[in-house]
Amino acid sequence: MEIVSIGNDGIVTVKMTAQEAAAVRDDLGQIWASKVSQPGDKLHSLLEWATPNQVTTEK
């Protein structure tokens, strides 16, 4: 897992493997919902697709 870039606009781009994404998703899923921030919940939702067999194409 690595930070690819941090833009002048504050956008952070992170590169991680599907296995890392799934681990982060699982970790966030183990925290009580009331203790997860809205951005943390959004990240959890975005990572729901992450499986080692899922392949997408880059833009």
Side-chain angles (χ1 to χ4, degrees), residues 16-39:
M16 66 179 77
T17 67
Q19 290 87 356
E20 290 168 329
V24 171
R25 179 202 62 223
D26 292 346
D27 288 347
L28 286 170
Q30 302 230 1
I31 300 170
W32 284 87
S34 62
K35 296 190 182 230
V36 176
S37 66
Q38 188 173 7

Side-chain angles (χ1 to χ4, degrees), residues 8-55:
N8 291 332
D9 57 0
I11 300 292
V12 178
T13 303
V14 176
K15 181 178 182 178
M16 66 179 77
T17 67
Q19 290 87 356
E20 290 168 329
V24 171
R25 179 202 62 223
D26 292 346
D27 288 347
L28 286 170
Q30 302 230 1
I31 300 170
W32 284 87
S34 62
K35 296 190 182 230
V36 176
S37 66
Q38 188 173 7
D41 187 50
K42 174 73 174 181
L43 178 60
H44 180 260
S45 295
L46 289 171
L47 296 176
E48 283 292 323
W49 66 269
T51 63
N53 300 323
Q54 181 69 33
V55 177

